[in-house]
Amino acid sequence: MEKLLLFNNQLTELPYSIGNLKKLKELHIGRNSIESLPESIGKLENLTDLNIYDNPQLTELPKSIVNLKNLKYIHINRNQLKKSQIEILLSKLPNCEILYYGE
C-alpha cells in the first residue's frame, strides 16, 4: 500500500502497527480527533506526504518523526502543536518543502 486516506473518520489514535507499512508514501489523517501519533510513524521511511491537519487534540509529535527523511509535504494546521516542535521539525527534515502551520 502506498497511500492511506483516513480523512474524517472520528479516529482518536493510530495503531502502533502503522509503522509496518514500509511502502507507504502518503498518509492522510486530517479531520479526526487524534490525540497523539505512535512512535512507530518514524519507521515509514518512504513517506513523502503527511497530512494531519484539523486534529485539535494533537499537542505534540513523536520524536521519531525526524526519521522521515523523504518527507516533502506536511500539512499540520488546526492542531495544538507547539511552535518549538515545528521549528525542530523543519531543522531536522531538510527535504520538507511545504509546511502548513497556523489557523
Side-chain angles (χ1 to χ4, degrees), residues 15-49:
Y16 190 83
S17 60
I18 192 84
N20 295 333
L21 300 175
K22 301 293 184 188
K23 294 182 180 181
L24 195 65
K25 291 183 179 181
E26 295 182 33
L27 177 58
H28 300 273
I29 53 174
R31 294 186 182 153
N32 283 293
S33 297
I34 295 174
E35 298 176 12
S36 64
L37 297 174
E39 282 292 328
S40 64
I41 201 164
K43 295 180 181 180
L44 301 175
E45 58 191 39
N46 291 307
L47 199 67
T48 60
D49 298 321

Side-chain angles (χ1 to χ4, degrees), residues 56-89:
Q57 291 81 9
L58 187 62
T59 59
E60 61 184 333
L61 297 171
K63 292 177 182 171
S64 66
I65 203 157
V66 298
N67 296 332
L68 302 177
K69 301 299 183 190
N70 290 312
L71 195 63
K72 293 194 183 296
Y73 173 83
I74 184 168
H75 188 167
I76 55 174
N77 65 326
R78 300 181 73 184
N79 294 308
Q80 298 299 317
L81 298 172
K82 296 178 179 104
K83 186 177 180 179
S84 60
Q85 282 197 313
I86 305 308
E87 291 169 352
I88 290 170
L89 185 66

